[in-house]
Amino acid sequence: MHTPLVFIDGDQGTTGLQIHARLQGRRDLRLLTLPDAERKHPQRRREAINAADIALLCLPDEAAREAVATLDNPAVRVIDASSAHRTTAGWVYGLPELDEQQAERIAQATRVSNPGCYPTGAIALLRPLIRDGLLPADYPLSIHAISGYSGGGRAAVERHEAHAGQAAPALQLYGLELAHKHVPEIQLHAGLSARPMFLPGYAAYRQGIVLSIPLQLRLLPGRPSAEQLQASLERHYQGARHVQVMPLHQHGPATPLDPQALNDSNDLRLALYANPEHGQVLLTAVFDNLGKGASGAAVQNLDLMLAAMAG
């Protein structure tokens, strides 16, 4: 029986290292990695990617495009963890919980684009509500998210940890030009017709994301209740292994959200907070930017492909 060969291109970056760690000890696959001296050698990388059954690209966007261009073997299947192909026609979006058929699409695909960390939370919250007609596709959305500093990649981690965090501010917002590269991805896969505002930030902890989206119920068609929004999410994620929909919070003091609560897991926790008196609802998501936001999602997609190959 053939044991699939998996090549991680870019296994020394933050995502690549995490994927490598998650696959250690697996007996249902063989890992192909290049020695340090060959990692940047074009011909050795070309040979490795064409020898693989599945290639995991953990590269900057342009390098990921170049890697795909070197593919001569039509049998090689690709999971791209960069943002290079997330809105590219012909690539399957690697969020298995997107709808009822997405996991099967990923399992059969030859080209899968792994979701971005922030878009994972935003799309998970918005798409069910838009699909059910509770949230207009042109609603003036504002998305705010804070990530651990590992969201900035290996260089950001080394820069922060070299000074034991002393040189980094406790919180810094970025993307202030309102042109973050994740916005088109969120708009496309959430099903939005209008561009949302997106404001991200990094905080002085290593990993974990808390993302929030405020809604004014009076601006929604039919003025749905918080309970209707809650029910939409519960229906969409019923039976989803990696997505938790928490009970609706609208009475009494709410427990503060901890962005690090799901670190080192591949889980995504969604929760709605409502103030019925003022007609306001806050959609929230908590997850690990290195887990469900990156390497965990890549391994989840890999496992779907491997199961299809074995079956």
Side-chain angles (χ1 to χ4, degrees), residues 234-247:
E234 289 179 353
R235 281 194 304 271
H236 187 92
Y237 296 108
Q238 184 176 9
R241 177 183 173 190
H242 293 291
V243 181
Q244 310 164 8
V245 180
M246 307 303 290

Side-chain angles (χ1 to χ4, degrees), residues 59-131:
L59 302 165
D61 288 5
E62 190 54 39
R65 294 186 187 97
E66 291 171 358
V68 172
T70 67
L71 276 168
D72 302 316
N73 181 355
V76 178
R77 306 174 73 185
V78 177
I79 299 173
D80 181 10
S82 82
S83 62
H85 299 102
R86 290 176 187 158
T87 59
T88 302
W91 286 71
V92 173
Y93 193 59
L95 184 61
E97 300 85 3
L98 192 69
D99 61 34
E100 295 84 351
Q101 290 80 42
Q102 196 69 5
E104 182 59 24
R105 294 187 192 105
I106 293 166
Q108 302 300 330
T110 57
R111 300 288 183 270
V112 171
S113 184
N114 220 48
C117 55
Y118 295 125
T120 294
I123 293 164
L125 287 165
L126 296 171
R127 187 178 174 93
L129 305 183
I130 293 171
R131 185 193 64 176

Side-chain angles (χ1 to χ4, degrees), residues 4-301:
L5 182 64
V6 176
F7 171 50
I8 305 175
D9 194 357
D11 64 341
Q12 295 304 303
T14 306
T15 299
L17 287 168
Q18 287 264 333
I19 291 174
H20 198 278
R22 287 170 183 259
L23 296 179
Q24 284 298 305
R26 293 271 297 258
R27 296 182 178 273
D28 59 332
L29 56 84
R30 295 172 293 145
L31 269 182
L32 171 61
T33 56
L34 295 177
D36 287 349
E38 298 179 4
R39 281 193 297 111
K40 296 185 178 181
H41 191 283
Q43 184 58 31
R44 286 295 294 119
R45 289 177 59 215
R46 185 183 193 117
E47 292 169 359
I49 195 171
N50 281 285
D53 293 293
I54 301 174
L56 284 160
L57 307 182
C58 304
L59 302 165
D61 288 5
E62 190 54 39
R65 294 186 187 97
E66 291 171 358
V68 172
T70 67
L71 276 168
D72 302 316
N73 181 355
V76 178
R77 306 174 73 185
V78 177
I79 299 173
D80 181 10
S82 82
S83 62
H85 299 102
R86 290 176 187 158
T87 59
T88 302
W91 286 71
V92 173
Y93 193 59
L95 184 61
E97 300 85 3
L98 192 69
D99 61 34
E100 295 84 351
Q101 290 80 42
Q102 196 69 5
E104 182 59 24
R105 294 187 192 105
I106 293 166
Q108 302 300 330
T110 57
R111 300 288 183 270
V112 171
S113 184
N114 220 48
C117 55
Y118 295 125
T120 294
I123 293 164
L125 287 165
L126 296 171
R127 187 178 174 93
L129 305 183
I130 293 171
R131 185 193 64 176
D132 288 349
L134 298 169
L135 182 66
D138 63 351
Y139 185 89
L141 285 166
S142 179
I143 303 166
H144 183 249
I146 299 296
S147 171
Y149 56 78
S150 61
R154 183 175 177 178
V157 172
E158 292 176 349
R159 185 170 60 249
H160 186 98
E161 296 182 351
H163 301 283
Q166 296 174 10
L171 175 66
Q172 50 190 328
L173 301 183
Y174 66 103
L176 300 174
E177 71 286 357
L178 303 179
H180 195 283
K181 68 177 183 178
H182 283 166
V183 175
E185 177 186 352
I186 294 171
Q187 182 174 346
L188 175 65
H189 296 294
L192 296 168
S193 62
R195 181 183 176 91
M197 290 185 68
F198 174 54
L199 183 62
Y202 290 138
Y205 60 91
R206 191 175 196 276
Q207 64 196 81
I209 287 177
V210 60
L211 178 144
S212 60
I213 307 172
L215 300 178
Q216 300 280 357
L217 297 182
R218 63 182 171 79
L219 299 180
L220 304 184
R223 295 195 177 189
S225 65
E227 288 85 357
Q228 287 174 282
L229 303 179
Q230 174 80 12
S232 174
L233 292 181
E234 289 179 353
R235 281 194 304 271
H236 187 92
Y237 296 108
Q238 184 176 9
R241 177 183 173 190
H242 293 291
V243 181
Q244 310 164 8
V245 180
M246 307 303 290
L248 177 64
H249 298 269
Q250 60 178 347
H251 299 292
T255 303
L257 289 175
D258 177 5
Q260 302 179 84
L262 296 178
N263 280 1
D264 300 318
S265 80
N266 190 45
D267 293 337
L268 170 65
R269 181 176 295 161
L270 309 179
L272 270 62
Y273 297 84
N275 187 310
E277 178 184 358
H278 300 304
Q280 296 173 330
V281 167
L282 187 68
L283 313 177
T284 71
V286 170
F287 54 108
D288 183 357
N289 59 290
L290 299 180
K292 186 63 171 164
S295 58
V299 172
Q300 185 180 357
N301 291 326

